Amino acid sequence: MSKPVVESMAEVRSHLADVIDRARREETPTIITRRGKQEAVVIDIQEYQRLRRIAEDAEEVWLNGLADEAEAEGVEGSVSLEEMAALLRAHQG
């Protein structure tokens, strides 16, 4: 992946197709700013999917670790892995 290009919302708006092509063909992300503040990033869909898988795998490892800790401490007052995942998703949502 190449070093990101930083552009304002107005710049990106004027050539969005080029920004998308750059992300896809050159694997170069574009960080979009608004009023000088970084707001979003355009990346290739395959890179996005790869990052999602990494995040989901990390979450699963973390949840399994929590479940293992709870099991080691005893079952009273503990919840299942599925219940824990549902609680965390509800909290994040």
Side-chain angles (χ1 to χ4, degrees):
M1 180 175 279
S2 302
K3 183 178 177 182
V5 173
V6 179
E7 295 186 7
S8 71
M9 182 83 74
E11 291 169 324
V12 170
R13 195 177 291 129
S14 70
H15 67 106
L16 180 58
D18 294 333
V19 170
I20 293 170
D21 287 342
R22 181 172 54 215
R24 188 170 43 86
R25 291 189 186 134
E26 300 171 24
E27 296 181 354
T28 302
T30 299
I31 297 172
I32 302 171
T33 62
R34 185 173 15 195
R35 295 184 197 100
K37 181 182 174 196
Q38 294 181 350
E39 294 284 336
V41 63
V42 176
I43 58 173
D44 177 66
I45 189 65
Q46 290 177 337
E47 179 65 6
Y48 169 76
Q49 290 168 341
R50 185 184 76 81
L51 293 171
R52 286 290 308 226
R53 280 192 304 274
I54 290 170
E56 288 169 0
D57 290 348
E59 180 182 40
E60 186 173 333
V61 167
W62 179 69
L63 288 172
N64 285 334
L66 287 177
D68 291 344
E69 286 178 29
E71 187 176 320
E73 292 176 5
V75 294
E76 187 174 327
S78 65
V79 295
S80 70
L81 179 59
E82 292 80 16
E83 291 170 318
M84 177 73 72
L87 287 169
L88 288 170
R89 284 189 199 101
H91 179 69
Q92 292 174 347

